[in-house]
Amino acid sequence: MKTITSIADLRTLARRRVPRAIFDYADRGSYDEVTLRRNRADLEALQFRQRVMIDLSQLSVATTVLGEPWSMPVAIAPTGLTGLFHRDGEIHGARAAEKAGVPFTLSTMSICSIEDVRGAVTKPFWFQVYLMRDRGFNQELIERARVAQCSALVLTLDLTVQGVRRRDIKNGLSIPPRLTLKNALDIATKPRWALGVLLGKRRTFGNLESHMKGTGGLVTLSQWIASQFDVSLTWKDIEWIRSLWPGKLILKGILDAEDAREAMATGIDAIVVSNHGGRQLDGAPSSISVLPEIAEVVAGRCEILFDGGVQCGQDVLRALARGARACLIGKSFLYALAAGGEAGVSLGLDILRRELQVSMGLTGVTDVRRVDRGVLRGG
Ligand SMILES: Cc1cc2nc3c(=O)[nH]c(=O)nc-3n(C[C@H](O)[C@H](O)[C@H](O)COP(=O)(O)O)c2cc1C
């Protein structure tokens, strides 16, 4: 593809460059994928008010989130297995984010470890954790994040049990990836990926190595989750996490006003309004549709981050208009990474930034920190 003008172009390129099982792992959702589709459809349904005759000579997309300056209201979401989309994918993502002046979030389920990423960037990144049955191991992970000077800890709440992703089962997704009779032809047509990832040194969960002894090294993601994640997680556990992590704490996976109320009571720094990108509870509402009611409950007491379906700068503007301070990108990031490594992610972030600038200009807003529901038709 000669000219890349959108995240959709990066997605097309990603599909050509990585094996089917890896692409589908990012691209698809749980069960019938109703929520996955809703995330996009509900964003697209929000119409802007086109405004004219407003001086745009000082337009700015720079913002601050949790006291940190961001060059635009977009951060990279935690995504497991990122290093299977491109060799050392987490390092590429973190470097591109650092250059773009936005945060990168490293998933517990990453291929590169906390220490690998720390060694590759100069600024702190965010670290995401799940609560595991083995609290000692959780404690160890959080300590490693502290030593790596991570600037925020993101605790994901919406994956104590895993939504079934039928595509992953059918594709036989395993970690590390293996060459089988079934996928041999597919992999043979992706030589760049095979040389980079399949023959690379990092192909399994970098943060979990010490914890995976005895599994024989080859597992499916769902097997690992079912055996390790703590299904007894409740609001009381936030206190325990707080005792281990005095820094910025973000709760990810709030989709209901009642849960937002509970979250407020724990005194956290930010929440992420999220349905895990349509990968968990199928039939749940889109994140954009519940954002206003959650923003009303939060009422400025903590920062609100948003994710779910963000694939263009217009989507970022829509989320900000409905009460978010900033957006996270999951799939858009992975498409960009698979398409072109660090350069691909830089391009993806650049595309989002330019789209946001143009959309702000045409809706007559010059400072991204002042976006409100006034940019949308019907508020
Ligand atoms: C392939 C993939 C892996 C993910 N892994 C994680 C993870 O390890 N931890 C987590 O909190 N969220 C994870 N998520 C969810 C994202 O952080 C984010 O909530 C979601 O992708 C946002 O929706 P979007 O993909 O439409 O941008 C993952 C998402 C994708 C697409």
Side-chain angles (χ1 to χ4, degrees), residues 25 78-80 107 128 130 156 252 274 276-277 279 307 309 330-331:
Y25 166 64
T79 53
S107 163
Q128 174 266 328
Y130 289 110
T156 299
K252 176 170 180 283
S274 173
H276 219 98
R279 304 163 71 78
D307 73 26
K331 284 184 274 295

Side-chain angles (χ1 to χ4, degrees), residues 32 58 61 74 83 101 106 110 164 174 190 211 228 266 271 292 327:
D32 291 339
Q58 301 293 324
V61 294
V74 174
L106 184 71
S110 57
V164 172
S174 68
K190 275 98 186 175
H211 205 62
Q228 303 293 326
T266 65
I271 57 170
C327 296

Side-chain angles (χ1 to χ4, degrees), residues 189-210:
T189 59
K190 275 98 186 175
R192 199 195 304 217
W193 178 89
L195 279 173
V197 175
L198 215 49
L199 301 180
K201 71 178 165 103
R202 299 185 182 113
R203 286 175 298 134
T204 190
F205 300 116
N207 293 322
L208 312 176
E209 252 157 359
S210 65

Side-chain angles (χ1 to χ4, degrees), residues 84-106:
L84 297 187
F85 289 81
H86 190 283
R87 183 186 209 147
D88 299 337
E90 290 87 357
I91 290 175
H92 284 251
R95 283 194 176 139
E98 181 168 275
K99 284 185 189 153
V102 300
F104 171 82
T105 317
L106 184 71

Side-chain angles (χ1 to χ4, degrees), residues 22 25-28 36 39-40 76-82 85 106-110 128-130 154-159 165 221 252 272-279 287 306-311 328-334:
I22 307 289
Y25 166 64
D27 196 55
R28 305 291 296 265
L36 175 79
N39 276 348
R40 289 286 316 127
I76 295 182
T79 53
L81 311 188
T82 299
F85 289 81
L106 184 71
S107 163
T108 295
M109 312 297 281
S110 57
Q128 174 266 328
V129 279
Y130 289 110
V154 179
L155 178 69
T156 299
L157 310 180
D158 60 358
L159 204 141
R165 300 169 202 152
L221 191 62
K252 176 170 180 283
V272 186
V273 175
S274 173
N275 53 32
H276 219 98
R279 304 163 71 78
S287 340
F306 168 87
D307 73 26
V310 174
Q311 296 195 3
L328 309 187
I329 49 165
K331 284 184 274 295
S332 296
F333 157 61
L334 291 173

